[in-house]
Amino acid sequence: LAFGFENAHDYRMLLYAWGQIDPLAAIEYSNRRAKGIGAGFAVAGVLEGWAGREPKAAVDWVNLPENAGMAKLYRFGLVKGWASQDMEGATAYVLSLDAGGNRPDLLRTITDERLRRDFASTSSWAENLSDDADKKGVFTRVAQQQSRESPGQVAEWLRGHASEDYAADALIRLGDNWGKRAPAEAAAYFDDLPTGRARREGMSEIVESWARDEPAEAAAWLNQKDPSPETDPAVAAYARVTSM
């Protein structure tokens, strides 16, 4: 079979399983069958299987000088496989990486894996992150992923963080997702938030979706508001959508 996109699922299963048994042979095979970024993705699949069984050996291999050029890509497979078996170990590894590398991207992988298991423990973990940049990124990712299906749950969680800078982007993502499902309910929630960027931009996201689907209802809600800098972005969003 061609070692390309059309057979990617089949090769992913092969390389993951092979990585659990004989990862070095699987890596050699991947590099023989493909070059450049294609080989990099294949090796990342091997590392996902390898790290689920022998994370330290997989980390040592990724850290070899000759792998420096592809290390960022390799770490995606490494972290995903490691987290599937040892979440705390994988999390500690990611948090030990330099902030200037692909740590934010890998934290999104960790967050997604945690959310597949449980929202409550994931939100608690996010709250206890000590680095502000990490906290902001994780809060945003949790809100983006979880509010697609459970916006009310995310809204209740974020209410206690609404005044914090690290939660602003998370609230905006909540407004975007919730506004597509229940804009009136979302608007009422955002109306009660403290003044600031999260309230303004979140409300703007809500009104944008609302005006697209129910322009009369969105207009009626906006008409109840006194003109102010807090509502100006929402009015602008309404005008932008309805004038198209």
Side-chain angles (χ1 to χ4, degrees):
L1 296 177
F3 201 79
F5 178 78
E6 65 275 19
N7 298 310
H9 179 68
D10 298 306
Y11 275 108
R12 184 182 181 281
M13 290 192 295
L14 167 66
L15 295 172
Y16 176 85
W18 200 350
Q20 294 180 316
I21 300 166
D22 190 351
L24 296 180
I27 290 169
E28 189 278 330
Y29 171 81
S30 298
N31 287 324
R32 190 171 72 247
R33 291 294 308 276
K35 301 297 180 186
I37 197 72
F41 278 111
V43 172
V46 175
L47 283 160
E48 185 177 344
W50 189 5
R53 294 174 65 91
E54 298 178 305
K56 186 181 183 306
V59 168
D60 289 344
W61 185 87
V62 170
N63 288 339
L64 291 174
E66 59 265 33
N67 294 326
M70 284 285 189
K72 287 184 177 181
L73 178 55
Y74 293 161
R75 288 192 190 108
F76 282 106
L78 169 70
V79 169
K80 188 174 178 63
W82 194 349
S84 70
Q85 303 299 322
D86 176 14
M87 180 62 75
E88 299 312 315
T91 301
Y93 168 74
V94 171
L95 292 175
S96 74
L97 297 173
D98 291 339
N102 60 334
R103 175 163 142 175
D105 297 324
L106 295 173
L107 270 176
R108 285 193 285 273
T109 298
I110 290 287
T111 303
D112 290 349
E113 291 297 316
R114 284 178 174 271
L115 278 174
R116 289 190 183 97
R117 302 178 184 193
D118 177 54
F119 170 75
S121 63
T122 303
S123 58
S124 177
W125 166 70
E127 291 169 348
N128 287 299
L129 288 169
S130 58
D131 182 90
D132 286 345
D134 291 341
K135 198 168 192 174
K136 178 181 178 181
V138 171
F139 263 68
T140 303
R141 187 65 173 184
V142 171
Q144 175 66 35
Q145 299 296 85
Q146 192 72 11
S147 67
R148 288 172 177 163
E149 298 298 329
S150 305
Q153 183 184 45
V154 174
E156 186 62 29
W157 171 53
L158 290 178
R159 189 182 293 278
H161 303 273
S163 298
E164 305 294 342
D165 289 342
Y166 60 74
D169 287 345
L171 283 159
I172 294 166
R173 297 280 63 78
L174 169 64
D176 182 23
N177 285 333
W178 203 0
K180 294 170 183 173
R181 296 170 63 93
E185 185 180 356
Y189 171 85
F190 273 80
D191 223 9
D192 283 340
L193 292 181
T195 58
R197 172 174 167 259
R199 184 173 185 264
R200 289 193 304 273
E201 295 188 26
M203 199 173 288
S204 178
E205 295 284 355
I206 294 163
V207 169
E208 186 170 333
S209 295
W210 204 356
R212 190 176 295 113
D213 298 332
E214 298 175 323
E217 288 82 351
W221 184 80
L222 284 171
N223 285 336
Q224 297 172 4
K225 304 296 174 189
D226 294 328
S228 73
E230 287 297 301
T231 58
D232 283 350
V235 172
Y238 179 86
R240 184 172 59 252
V241 170
T242 56
S243 63
M244 291 180 179

